[in-house]
Amino acid sequence: MLANSNSLVLSAMSEIFDRDPRFSLVATTATAEGFLGTVMRVPVQVGVIDWDLPVLGGAKLIEVLREQENAPRLVVYGDGTGDLPRLAMTAGAAGFADRSADVEGLLATCADVAAGKMVFPFIDIRELQKDPIHSLSRRERTMLEALSKGLTNRELSKALGISTNTVKFHLSNLYEKLSVRNRAQAIAFYYSSRLPGEASEREKSR
């Protein structure tokens, strides 16, 4: 399935995939919501998405799909000269294809991703490690977000369905990974180092 807000790009990509016998084009859409709605109803193995899809955006779309069983593997198709490949990788995409490169590169990337591979241009792994929030587990990220809402340990225990001792254990690991000493510093870190795309979503909801 293809998702791109530019109708001309979407049309051209559709023709390219239609001509390649390795692929069967399931659907196209111009929005993240359209993509999400389709893949919830129709089996899709690989999705090619634009990072700036309205309204959710690529990062949020990837985040939502990570929680779904049998979600498609996603290839981000965009500008490979900047920080986008790294952002796509840290968000959880399976591959990245540079739109300025030969179209065969996009097709090859999709074929490899369908075969279970991860495909990205060279990324300095040290860049991925600069923001420690990306080292957090899903449970730790959930807990950090809950902390930002002012929940106590008892409230965290109830909300997450775990014991207060387990909450304390996770908080200890969380503080260590973020190099902070207490709850207040963890919350301050959360608001200064949000995952890609989340800060803008917060602004929209105000």
Side-chain angles (χ1 to χ4, degrees):
M1 182 171 179
L2 309 176
N4 198 293
S5 57
N6 187 315
S7 59
L8 294 177
V9 172
L10 195 58
S11 177
M13 289 173 64
S14 298
E15 291 183 14
I16 291 167
F17 279 94
D18 270 335
R19 290 199 304 263
D20 194 312
R22 293 176 295 177
F23 302 100
S24 176
L25 185 57
V26 175
T28 65
T29 182
T31 67
E33 288 80 2
F35 187 93
L36 191 58
T38 300
V39 300
M40 291 297 187
R41 295 180 287 104
V42 182
V44 175
Q45 187 177 8
V46 176
V48 181
I49 67 169
D50 174 22
W51 187 251
D52 297 318
L53 278 176
V55 172
L56 285 178
K60 190 68 175 178
L61 175 60
I62 294 170
E63 178 187 338
V64 171
L65 285 173
R66 278 207 312 261
E67 307 298 325
Q68 307 299 320
E69 290 187 14
N70 301 318
R73 301 183 182 104
L74 297 182
V75 174
V76 174
Y77 186 54
D79 184 1
T81 60
D83 205 31
L84 187 52
R86 183 183 68 83
L87 293 176
M89 176 181 282
T90 54
F96 181 89
D98 190 341
R99 65 187 174 200
S100 65
D102 192 287
V103 70
E104 290 302 321
L106 171 61
L107 296 172
T109 295
C110 290
D112 284 343
V113 166
K117 299 178 181 178
M118 290 186 69
V119 185
F120 288 89
F122 172 77
I123 296 174
D124 190 337
I125 195 67
R126 292 171 298 181
E127 294 295 322
L128 298 177
Q129 298 169 338
K130 283 183 178 180
D131 187 350
I133 201 166
H134 294 302
S135 70
L136 302 183
S137 67
R138 182 181 303 174
R139 173 55 60 86
E140 288 164 346
R141 292 185 187 185
T142 301
M143 187 164 288
L144 182 57
E145 185 169 3
L147 275 183
S148 73
K149 298 175 181 176
L151 271 63
T152 64
N153 282 6
R154 182 173 296 179
E155 290 169 333
L156 284 170
S157 171
K158 184 177 180 180
L160 300 175
I162 57 179
S163 70
T164 53
N165 283 337
T166 303
V167 167
K168 292 176 183 178
F169 172 78
H170 283 305
L171 287 178
S172 176
N173 287 339
L174 183 64
Y175 296 163
E176 182 177 353
K177 287 184 178 181
L178 299 182
S179 298
V180 300
R181 296 181 179 179
N182 53 44
R183 182 179 303 247
Q185 290 180 353
I187 293 172
F189 186 98
Y190 174 77
Y191 282 108
S192 65
S193 303
R194 299 297 298 274
L195 290 171
E198 289 187 344
S200 60
E201 288 300 314
R202 188 173 70 246
E203 292 299 326
K204 291 177 184 177
S205 64
R206 288 181 178 175

